[in-house]
Amino acid sequence: MAEIIIALDLSTPEAALDLVDRAADAASFYKVGPALYTLSGPSLVRELRQRGKRVFLDLKFHDIPNIVAKAVEAAAALEVELVTVHASGGSAMMRAAREAAGDEGPKLLGVTLLTSFTPGDVEEVWGKQLLSLREEVGRLCSLAAEAKLHGVVTSVLEAEAMKRKYGADFLVVTPGIRPAGELAGDQARTATPAEALRAGADYLVIGRPIIAAADPAAAVLRIRAELDDALETAG
């Protein structure tokens, strides 16, 4: 069963911890991103760990290899479980990050293309005509796999191909998950939890549908029910 990671895309650490308390035992895995980490620093991560929660530190490191390696070492000291680096940072950077993580550190995920990106966005940034988003994701995923990263962050649209090519042990984390009937917001490549499950995603990153809910615990349970229904239908 794919695991749900709640994206703590909230404005303050106090709001984030309130959400964690309201979700209670329904959720155990949380993503801390750049905005919240900039506000709270490592103290929020430590608080989450003290509450027995698992942490996905999604800071998307992208710098020279030595700096990224030191950042991964710092993340390991915080006992986070997943850490992101940009695959576009290059092979040397990713290899340095992987060496810094070692066998006991966090699992490293290569960020391929942000789910907000459209073909036009990629062409603007890369300065070249793009044949397809999937082809570009596949190219970046290959770099991540060759650097021995543990997996990648990619949309559900590319997830199945990545699992098929690199095997069950290669982690696929899919953001942009929206339960059936939810609006996509600023995401360009979204999918439902059931679609992500069928594509082979290992982790589903879900933010607004849970954190904006009046009852976050109930929202998590509804999504789990959707996943259970998808499993039953597939089985």
Side-chain angles (χ1 to χ4, degrees):
M1 169 73 82
E3 293 192 67
I4 295 170
I5 300 177
I6 298 177
L8 290 176
D9 296 331
L10 293 155
S11 58
T12 67
E14 292 78 17
L17 291 173
D18 177 67
L19 183 282
V20 171
D21 290 340
R22 289 190 293 131
D25 293 337
S28 62
F29 213 153
Y30 292 89
K31 180 177 81 74
V32 176
L36 195 54
Y37 193 83
T38 300
L39 279 170
S40 63
S43 61
L44 176 64
V45 175
R46 293 191 182 105
E47 182 63 33
L48 290 169
R49 293 295 298 131
Q50 287 171 4
R51 296 181 186 212
K53 304 303 182 182
R54 301 158 68 191
V55 178
F56 171 19
L57 189 61
D58 185 25
L59 300 185
K60 301 179 179 68
F61 298 134
H62 190 163
D63 211 312
I64 63 173
N66 182 58
I67 294 298
V68 171
K70 290 182 182 301
V72 171
E73 289 172 357
L78 291 173
E79 298 182 331
V80 303
E81 191 165 327
L82 300 172
V83 172
T84 47
V85 300
H86 268 292
S88 58
S91 298
M93 187 201 79
M94 286 190 285
R95 286 194 300 268
R98 182 65 184 86
E99 183 176 350
D103 295 330
E104 304 298 325
K107 295 186 184 304
L108 295 180
L109 306 169
V111 176
T112 54
L113 293 179
L114 302 177
T115 51
S116 61
F117 267 28
T118 65
D121 294 327
V122 179
E123 289 178 0
E124 177 187 35
V125 173
W126 263 248
K128 66 176 184 180
Q129 185 175 7
L130 188 70
L131 297 179
S132 76
L133 283 175
R134 288 191 180 189
E135 182 177 290
E136 190 61 23
V137 168
R139 186 184 71 80
L140 291 169
C141 189
S142 293
L143 292 178
E146 288 166 6
K148 307 299 183 186
L149 266 58
H150 300 90
V152 291
V153 179
T154 190
S155 84
V156 171
L157 300 177
E158 296 90 24
E160 185 175 1
M162 298 303 101
K163 294 296 281 190
R164 186 168 57 248
K165 183 172 183 178
Y166 297 104
D169 291 338
F170 192 71
L171 300 177
V172 172
V173 178
T174 54
I177 303 300
R178 296 287 185 271
E182 292 273 353
L183 295 175
D186 60 358
Q187 304 281 12
R189 296 170 8 255
T190 64
T192 67
E195 289 168 336
L197 181 68
R198 287 192 290 268
D202 298 287
Y203 299 97
L204 315 183
V205 179
I206 307 175
R208 277 165 281 191
I210 295 174
I211 65 177
D215 186 341
V220 173
L221 294 177
R222 282 194 297 270
I223 293 168
R224 286 219 177 102
E226 188 175 333
L227 292 171
D228 289 338
D229 288 345
L231 273 178
E232 186 176 339
T233 301

